[in-house]
Amino acid sequence: MNNSLETAKANLPVKGFLDISDYAIPQGEELVQAILDLKKEKNAVILAHYYQPAEIQDIADFLGDSLQLARQAKNTDADMIAFCGVHFMAEAAKILNPTKKVILPDTQAGCSLADGCSGEGLRKMREEHPNALIATYINCNAETKAESDIIVTSSNAETIIESLPEDRPIIFAPDKNLGRYLMKKTGRDMILWDGSCIVHEAFSMERIAKQLADNPDAKLIAHPESEEPVLQLAHFIGSTSALLNFVEKDEGQKFIVATEEGILHEMKKRAPQKTLIPAQVYDESCNCSECFFMKRNTMEKLYLCMKYELPEITIGEELRLKALKPIEKMLELSEAIK
């Protein structure tokens, strides 16, 4: 049985604990307690995105969207960050914390947006538009961030785009749906990278329209990564945290939610008296509103990665410094929307 840190490092240099059957793992409440004990022993903090499995959300020290998690990662005094999200999020935490150990339960927790946009591709776009500023959605890898002038999240993108000089064209990557939404909101014409989120593009306008017809007292709320026909039906469009706040504070009692369904766990906690309905997708045979990548992280993998301190996120210093600059610009400009 693999129980030594040295053996784990030899066997798991990149992908992590894909087969957990070789490891002795506590179950139930014992697993929860074991993770809490490891957190204390290693002076670790557990950061989790709202799209994570419910049990991971419940054990996290901090739960948030991309902007909130970036701020929390920057300000933590923990020695180790266990990041329960997808790879680009853990990578951003390492960019902000070069001296801290950052671990991710499963490094195959990727992102269709990040995987579909490259630093090389952005360099070519800059060559074609040499006067353009590159504003890149945080859903991208370190090399892509390094080629950007500023990073945005869905929480701060509108504010940041509006703050950019009007005499400079803007290249926006990688999410074309968010880009189109921002063009409409800000009035800024932008050159868009042709990318999209596999979860948010799966929502069906026709099936959601039927949901609205069947629930005339419901409000449709949608993330701006959704496609334009869905956004046109929405009563409210906002970032992950904005959707949560809207459900909590709005006087409505029933909501159809068009974003990754993991958010429903926190929504039910904040507004237990309200009715929440997941928006329907094109394919009736699949649960396509659930992000396969986000759900790769499990409590068992979280336990193993904290025990063995693997897989660890590492970034070369030259690349880290280049990627850090546009993230720091984002954090500075977004202070006003805390």
Side-chain angles (χ1 to χ4, degrees):
M1 182 175 293
N2 271 333
N3 278 331
S4 73
L5 182 58
E6 291 75 17
T7 302
K9 285 184 175 179
N11 292 340
L12 303 165
V14 178
K15 293 184 179 180
F17 300 93
L18 303 185
D19 182 1
I20 63 174
S21 61
D22 291 337
Y23 297 84
I25 302 173
Q27 297 298 311
E29 289 301 317
E30 290 183 0
L31 176 57
V32 173
Q33 188 58 52
I35 292 171
L36 294 175
D37 290 344
L38 285 168
K39 187 182 72 169
K40 183 177 180 180
E41 173 190 336
K42 296 172 184 285
N43 187 29
V45 63
I46 300 172
L47 306 184
H49 194 274
Y50 291 118
Y51 298 166
Q52 286 292 285
E55 58 271 21
I56 289 181
Q57 293 188 45
D58 289 341
I59 203 172
D61 296 293
F62 186 85
L63 186 64
D65 63 11
S66 296
L67 177 59
Q68 293 166 332
L69 291 172
R71 284 174 172 154
Q72 193 68 22
K74 182 181 180 182
N75 296 328
T76 184
D77 58 0
D79 295 322
M80 186 168 73
I81 300 171
F83 209 113
C84 297
V86 291
H87 190 273
F88 77 79
M89 296 178 179
E91 202 176 48
K94 185 63 178 180
I95 290 168
L96 290 162
N97 293 281
T99 63
K100 298 183 186 300
K101 179 170 286 188
V102 179
I103 54 175
L104 178 68
D106 190 329
T107 54
Q108 288 193 341
C111 171
S112 60
L113 284 168
D115 293 343
C117 186
S118 67
E120 180 182 0
L122 280 189
R123 284 193 294 273
K124 289 180 179 178
M125 290 187 77
R126 194 188 290 276
E127 289 172 3
E128 295 170 1
H129 307 277
N131 192 43
L133 293 169
I134 298 180
T136 307
Y137 193 25
I138 197 169
N139 297 39
C140 64
N141 61 35
E143 290 185 356
T144 304
K145 288 181 173 71
E147 296 299 327
S148 308
D149 294 299
I150 194 162
I151 300 300
V152 307
T153 73
S154 55
S155 295
N156 62 24
E158 184 177 343
T159 299
I160 288 177
I161 295 300
E162 288 178 338
S163 75
L164 297 179
E166 294 186 4
D167 61 346
R168 300 280 299 276
I170 299 171
I171 294 170
F172 187 84
D175 192 301
K176 62 185 177 183
N177 292 320
L178 177 58
R180 290 187 185 119
Y181 172 76
L182 291 170
M183 288 169 65
K184 180 182 290 188
K185 292 289 288 183
T186 66
R188 297 294 300 269
D189 190 24
M190 297 193 291
I191 304 153
L192 303 180
W193 182 279
D194 187 16
S196 60
C197 168
I198 58 174
V199 173
H200 290 94
E201 71 178 356
F203 291 117
S204 166
M205 182 271 287
E206 292 82 3
R207 298 187 73 204
I208 293 173
K210 186 177 185 307
Q211 284 183 293
L212 287 167
D214 292 342
N215 298 276
D217 55 338
K219 293 182 179 180
L220 172 64
I221 60 173
H223 193 282
E225 289 180 31
S226 303
E227 294 184 326
E228 177 63 20
V230 172
L231 297 182
Q232 288 179 354
L233 293 175
H235 298 87
F236 178 78
I237 301 167
S239 67
T240 309
S241 57
L243 296 178
L244 278 164
N245 291 335
F246 185 80
V247 167
E248 184 178 7
K249 297 176 181 177
D250 188 75
E251 61 184 15
Q253 295 299 305
K254 185 184 290 187
F255 302 89
I256 298 169
V257 183
T259 191
E260 209 277 348
E261 69 168 22
I263 197 175
L264 297 178
H265 182 65
E266 181 66 14
M267 281 183 174
K268 290 172 183 176
K269 284 186 174 182
R270 296 194 189 185
Q273 76 283 9
K274 298 187 179 182
T275 302
L276 305 172
I277 305 169
Q280 292 184 340
V281 298
Y282 289 103
D283 188 349
E284 297 182 41
S285 67
C286 78
N287 188 15
C288 299
S289 63
E290 181 178 274
C291 178
F292 166 78
F293 295 114
M294 283 282 187
K295 299 306 191 283
R296 287 197 66 91
N297 296 318
T298 64
M299 288 286 281
E300 290 80 6
K301 290 177 184 177
L302 175 58
Y303 166 78
L304 289 172
C305 88
M306 293 186 71
K307 179 179 176 65
Y308 295 109
E309 302 182 12
L310 288 169
E312 182 180 359
I313 303 297
T314 59
I315 303 173
E317 185 63 6
E318 182 178 356
L319 174 61
R320 188 192 73 82
L321 290 173
K322 286 185 67 178
L324 178 63
K325 290 181 181 179
I327 296 177
E328 287 185 325
K329 287 182 182 177
M330 172 193 75
L331 293 173
E332 290 169 7
L333 281 173
S334 62
E335 285 301 307
I337 63 170
K338 276 187 176 180

